[in-house]
Amino acid sequence: MYHFLKKAAFLGLSILTLHPEATFEAFIGVRDEKATAQLKLFGDNLQVLEQNLPMDDTYKSKDIIAAPIRVVQLLFNAGDVKGPQTIAFNLPNDERIVKDRGTAMVILKNVSEAKFKQILNPIADACIAKEQHELVDFESFFTHTICHECCHGIGPHTITLPDGRKSTVRLELQDLHSALEEAKADIVGLWALNFLIKKHLLPTSLEKSMYVSFLAGCFRSVRFGLEEAHGKGQALQFNWLLEKEAFVFHPNETFSVNFDKVEEAVESLSRTILTIQAKGDKEGASLLLQKYCTMTKPLKVALQKLESIHVPVDIAPIFPVAKTLLE
């Protein structure tokens, strides 16, 4: 690994992250300057999004630090990469460092493209109603991924408890924090996209496709299991939106988005999660997850269908460039 890193540095590649925690992990990629430049508006509007979040103004921060956003083509990753193959990351996670230094965001575009082609397209074929199938597209999937990562940086992090003590959402919610934070980034990401479209900062072509692409993506993430943070957070969102009739389950076992109800449902869940985080309300988080983080019949039907037609759960990248360098 040392020799590969040395060669990568010599060739001008970007060594993205090597962060010491309990284990080590590394990503190496080629920077995509053109794609990165197109994403500047997200960083430029983080404070605007924070001030308009659907929660009480008391909980909103006035000093959001925009995370630098970099889009890369992944060449190699190694180390502690168990679990779902990541398509983006926003580090560090430590609130103290985030407050002092901010975060850095990296989007792995070629991994996103592979997941869309190999997983999301077959899911859409099997699970999305025919009349909305064409609304599942890569632009919406990729843009929401970016917004998801940006939304990790807004909303409650360092909080003041009712007794006046300073704390963090992570410390107060403990083992429930990860699932709720992933759900927050997802659902607030949808809210944020809608906000930016209404401000004419994003194209109106995303207006419907972002919701239908998100619906297809729900089935992708839930397949990681309800014990994993992303899968648990996705089940919460899917079941909430289904209950609010924003998602529709049809007799032919396909799904569609009710565009008349989805905006309100997204905002109501965003407000619920953000308020729980702002209050450090572990009991509220527990009740929310217990009620909605379940394998409901519609989810079971969709997942059984995907299993029967052998849609892969995840991708396993191979790295021919790395192999050439090592040789």
Side-chain angles (χ1 to χ4, degrees), residues 29 104 109 211 249 265:
K109 188 172 184 181
Y211 293 121
F249 182 42

Side-chain angles (χ1 to χ4, degrees), residues 173-186:
L173 299 190
Q174 299 176 342
D175 57 309
L176 306 180
H177 172 265
S178 293
L180 208 64
E181 176 60 25
E182 291 303 329
K184 180 210 83 174
D186 254 352

Side-chain angles (χ1 to χ4, degrees), residues 117-128:
K117 291 176 183 177
Q118 301 299 323
I119 302 173
L120 213 66
N121 265 338
I123 287 175
D125 291 339
C127 296
I128 301 302

